[in-house]
Amino acid sequence: MSTAAKMATGNVTGKSAWHKYVFTGAVILLCLWVLVPIYLLLVNTFSSPEDVSGFPKSFIPNIDTGSVEFFLNYAGVGQALWSSIKVATVTMILSIMAGAPAGYALSRFEFRGKETFRVLVLMTRAFPLPLLALPLAVMYLRIGLDDTVLGLALVHTMLALPFAVLITFSLFSGIPVELEEAAWTLGCNRFQAFVKVILPLVLPGITASAIFAFVISWNEVFAAAVLTIENRTLPAFLLQGLGNAPLHLKFAGGAVLVLPALLFIFLVRKYLFSMWGIANR
Amino acid sequence: MAEIRINQVAKQFGDTHALHSIDLTIADQEFLVLLGASGCGKTTLLRIVAGLETASAGEVWIGDRRVDHLAPKDRGIAMVFQNYAVFPHLTVFENIAFGLRMAKLPQSEVEKRVNRTASLMHIENLLKRYSGQLSGGQRQRVAVARALATEPEVLLMDEPLSNLDALLRMEMRAELKTVLAESKTTTIYVTHDQVEAMSMADRIAVMNKGHIVQAASAVDVYRNPAAHFVGSFIGNPPMNFLDAKPLGDGWWDVAGTRVKGPVGGQYPALQLGIRPEDIVVHDAPSSAHPDSLSATVRVLEPLGSHLLASCKVDNQMLRVVLDSNASAKPGDQLHWSPVPDRIRWFDPATELALP
């Protein structure tokens, strides 16, 4: 978010020195806001249990992987990690399969209620998940979707879908209609033109959108905690298992959760900007 | 054989009529230019022939097939777009080969045709490049080569040169004309540039507000405009129009001078149309030219090859082409008469030319 905020105000060129100081100050503040916790998390993860509670800290810790190793060998972590990956992968596939066609339709066709549809897509994010979780849990129990990878992935897909729709909408809108029309005049039907011309051009963006869906599922904890018992994803498992664990283990668990998400978001950042209407070129 | 017949084609977008019942037949191997200002419906008509737009009414025939219900790929057409639409993820070779691969031609035939059309458009040395590595002119050549490679019966071109700079446009114009004359396709070419239209077309269809006002050869459209609009749209500077009042017996009063015109009392008023270069300027009023008109010079524009004088005649605008070393000054009185067989008469009520 901090980088997005920077981009949003990036074209404000300070007219006065005062203006510039405020701008630079805000940027630094926002960066620190995000970076300091991450830094502390990393430092404590790679410190020995004694150093974690010690103060003052050395800027670069003596690397001690004891906590991480212990954490990774902790019973159930491996299984939770595997569940997380399964749920996130299914979420990724479902949200692209449903989101990309919606994005294509929004960018290429005029239909009644198009604007309303766009708003409604965003509105799904306005529903607080806790409100939905209990009725969902009851319904899942009835139809036997409780505690399954697919059940949780469906909820996560609902969370990721608005983003998938909006990102792919902006991707498809960035491709001139004439390219498709040229393909039609050269012997393609609509589907062939899509596969041969549009798909190769949007594939990097679709990948980014997929990774974003993966991250949303990876980070989601509430639905995961309510809807699963045996197939706990990593965040749900940590919430349950690390509540009373010693501090250094909590740090190790946090790092394992945060790092993949950070890495993925970093990889797809330019496509996320395009979703917010900021040029990605 | 690919004659194109457009029967009663109309197009509405909501309440706006983009095209009003267009009838047009384009002969096999003819080069027809649709000429008009932006928003006149020329691109819409082209896209209806291509199948990228659906007509609200009417029929389109190519050869002996009715095509208006067919998808673009089944119409035997190829199209060149204004922004080139060269596929950015494919090399120039694969771009040109695209239509051939869709037609599932054997590799040897694909290579043969790509190489032939590439050399025709002088882009043999660019075949390995991507669109991003090409200039606008080169992209346009690729787009034309891609269209020609499929050996279409009908070639549709939508303002293909308007994104190029002026010099390049002139060069491409001549080149396209040569290439298309050899390719023996029936071509519809859309442009708003009258010079492009006149220099390339076998026949020009001038469009205005969703109607085809006149479809004729370049010379005919220029000399005998079928309507006021054609005279004022074609020609730079455009045709002059002066109001005429009837004096009876085929004589008309134009700015106080008697001019011989059409006989017949059914017109309460007419307009005399004359091209700026069809005006003879006399040194002074003399007995040799009793019927000359006078005009006051307002603005002089030396244009190199000639001098363009904008004058006032009885409060109406008259543009005259003078010799480049003529000695006229603003404020001068100009004595002139129209070349008699170049005068055209228009009915101001219908804005159409008299037959």
Side-chain angles (χ1 to χ4, degrees):
Chain A
M1 262 328 278
S2 74
T3 25
K6 256 193 300 183
M7 290 292 288
T9 49
N11 35 15
V12 179
T13 43
K15 289 198 174 92
S16 62
W18 187 80
H19 205 122
K20 213 149 91 188
Y21 288 137
V22 171
F23 177 67
T24 320
V27 168
I28 291 173
L29 200 70
L30 277 171
C31 288
L32 289 180
W33 179 273
V34 173
L35 291 177
V36 168
I38 293 176
Y39 169 72
L40 288 176
L41 182 71
L42 288 181
V43 166
N44 287 318
T45 301
F46 290 109
S47 298
S48 56
E50 301 79 55
D51 287 348
V52 168
S53 1
F55 200 84
K57 299 188 179 304
S58 52
F59 187 71
I60 297 172
N62 311 314
I63 300 290
D64 178 304
T65 53
S67 309
V68 180
E69 275 167 33
F70 178 84
F71 172 77
L72 288 178
N73 292 325
Y74 186 65
V77 168
Q79 214 230 323
L81 196 64
W82 178 231
S83 287
S84 260
I85 291 174
K86 277 193 291 188
V87 171
T89 306
V90 175
T91 302
M92 183 170 92
I93 293 168
L94 287 180
S95 53
I96 289 305
M97 298 255 289
Y104 182 81
L106 276 176
S107 88
R108 286 291 189 262
F109 300 109
E110 287 304 321
F111 52 88
R112 193 190 294 265
K114 183 171 161 176
E115 288 309 306
T116 322
F117 178 70
R118 281 183 65 179
V119 175
L120 279 178
V121 163
L122 272 181
M123 286 292 284
T124 58
R125 294 290 304 184
F127 261 99
L129 195 56
L131 208 70
L132 291 173
L134 279 176
L136 263 179
V138 173
M139 205 172 87
Y140 273 21
L141 279 169
R142 276 193 202 143
I143 58 178
L145 265 179
D146 60 302
D147 203 14
T148 60
V149 167
L150 180 65
L152 186 53
L154 281 175
V155 176
H156 288 177
T157 302
M158 188 203 77
L159 295 175
L161 202 52
F163 296 101
V165 172
L166 293 184
I167 295 176
T168 53
F169 162 66
S170 96
L171 285 172
F172 289 125
S173 300
I175 298 199
V177 186
E178 285 85 354
L179 287 183
E180 254 176 296
E181 292 179 340
W184 298 343
T185 62
L186 288 167
C188 289
N189 57 33
R190 211 174 242 282
F191 180 71
Q192 287 168 319
F194 182 83
V195 171
K196 284 183 186 295
V197 175
I198 304 303
L199 202 56
L201 294 173
V202 296
L203 208 53
I206 297 268
T207 313
S209 170
I211 289 177
F212 191 61
F214 189 96
V215 170
I216 285 180
S217 163
W218 179 271
N219 283 345
E220 200 284 324
V221 62
F222 192 90
V226 174
L227 295 177
T228 59
I229 299 159
E230 294 292 316
N231 288 315
R232 290 254 137 134
T233 60
L234 198 54
F237 177 80
L238 291 181
L239 190 72
Q240 175 199 34
L242 289 182
N244 303 314
L247 197 56
H248 62 273
L249 284 186
K250 284 183 180 167
F251 276 121
V256 168
L257 262 184
V258 165
L259 281 182
L262 268 183
L263 189 73
F264 286 146
I265 294 290
F266 186 75
L267 287 177
V268 302
R269 64 195 184 286
K270 81 173 193 189
Y271 293 98
L272 299 184
F273 294 152
S274 80
M275 175 179 66
W276 303 112
I278 302 166
N280 60 351
R281 279 172 262 278
Chain B
M1 296 296 280
E3 179 193 67
I4 304 171
R5 271 176 300 139
I6 297 166
N7 291 341
Q8 306 272 307
V9 164
K11 177 71 179 176
Q12 280 164 261
F13 294 105
D15 289 339
T16 36
H17 290 258
L19 293 173
H20 302 265
S21 189
I22 300 281
D23 283 302
L24 186 65
T25 302
I26 300 133
D28 184 39
Q29 299 188 25
E30 188 179 7
F31 191 125
L32 179 105
V33 171
L34 291 176
L35 176 65
S38 55
C40 71
K42 56 191 193 300
T43 295
T44 306
L45 183 58
L46 187 81
R47 290 171 60 87
I48 286 173
V49 175
L52 300 174
E53 206 91 64
T54 317
S56 312
E59 302 173 358
V60 180
W61 293 72
I62 295 178
D64 46 16
R65 287 192 309 154
R66 184 173 168 187
V67 297
D68 49 76
H69 57 285
L70 297 179
K73 70 184 178 74
D74 301 321
R75 295 191 179 196
I77 55 143
M79 187 155 169
V80 179
F81 293 82
Q82 180 175 2
N83 64 2
Y84 324 134
V86 174
F87 304 132
H89 61 299
L90 298 177
T91 59
V92 169
F93 183 97
E94 285 303 325
N95 261 284
I96 302 176
F98 192 91
L100 310 174
R101 297 222 192 276
M102 288 311 298
K104 299 208 163 55
L105 294 185
Q107 178 66 16
S108 59
E109 177 70 12
V110 170
E111 280 174 23
K112 205 178 84 190
R113 286 221 215 160
V114 170
N115 288 325
R116 198 187 57 217
T117 41
S119 69
L120 199 64
M121 295 310 296
H122 306 295
I123 47 173
E124 311 95 309
N125 52 340
L126 304 175
L127 288 174
K128 289 201 178 67
R129 295 218 198 155
Y130 287 90
S131 150
Q133 302 162 303
L134 302 177
S135 69
Q138 289 169 332
R139 276 180 219 175
Q140 192 50 271
R141 285 166 189 275
V142 175
V144 175
R146 183 176 66 184
L148 288 177
T150 60
E151 296 178 0
E153 292 182 303
V154 170
L155 183 61
L156 306 171
M157 305 181 101
D158 185 8
E159 310 224 14
L161 303 185
S162 61
N163 283 10
L164 302 180
D165 61 62
L167 200 66
L168 198 56
R169 201 182 306 170
M170 209 155 93
E171 194 183 302
M172 278 296 282
R173 205 162 72 198
E175 208 175 307
L176 266 184
K177 193 173 177 173
T178 329
V179 168
L180 293 179
E182 282 167 19
S183 73
K184 295 189 166 47
T185 56
T186 310
T187 307
I188 305 182
Y189 186 108
V190 163
T191 184
H192 62 269
D193 181 340
Q194 47 167 305
V195 182
E196 213 168 285
M198 309 216 25
S199 67
M200 297 176 81
D202 293 331
R203 201 153 57 104
I204 299 177
V206 184
M207 291 189 68
N208 184 32
K209 293 178 184 159
H211 294 278
I212 290 184
V213 188
Q214 186 173 14
S217 72
V219 175
D220 216 23
V221 165
Y222 188 81
R223 286 265 176 88
N224 304 312
H228 186 289
F229 172 79
V230 180
S232 60
F233 185 73
I234 292 189
N236 184 19
M239 194 175 229
N240 294 302
F241 295 96
L242 298 172
D243 292 338
K245 292 190 281 288
L247 296 172
D249 290 338
W251 287 94
W252 295 80
D253 173 7
V254 179
T257 306
R258 278 158 57 90
V259 179
K260 186 92 180 110
V263 189
Q266 70 267 48
Y267 303 108
L270 284 181
Q271 277 187 319
L272 175 150
I274 187 78
R275 291 275 175 200
E277 64 276 17
D278 295 332
I279 284 172
V280 183
V281 176
H282 315 296
D283 295 336
S286 68
S287 52
H289 309 286
D291 286 340
S292 72
L293 292 94
S294 76
T296 315
V297 178
R298 287 295 169 86
V299 182
L300 286 164
E301 296 167 69
L303 296 175
S305 61
H306 60 265
L307 181 66
L308 178 63
S310 301
C311 314
K312 279 275 156 123
V313 178
D314 196 18
N315 255 336
Q316 299 171 76
M317 171 69 101
L318 179 83
R319 292 193 186 81
V320 186
V321 168
L322 300 174
D323 190 81
S324 52
N325 53 15
S327 61
K329 291 186 300 297
D332 281 3
Q333 284 292 311
L334 216 58
H335 303 281
W336 63 280
S337 39
V339 176
D341 65 343
R342 293 289 169 80
I343 297 176
R344 299 293 177 264
W345 295 92
F346 296 85
D347 181 354
T350 60
E351 300 213 321
L352 295 179
L354 297 201

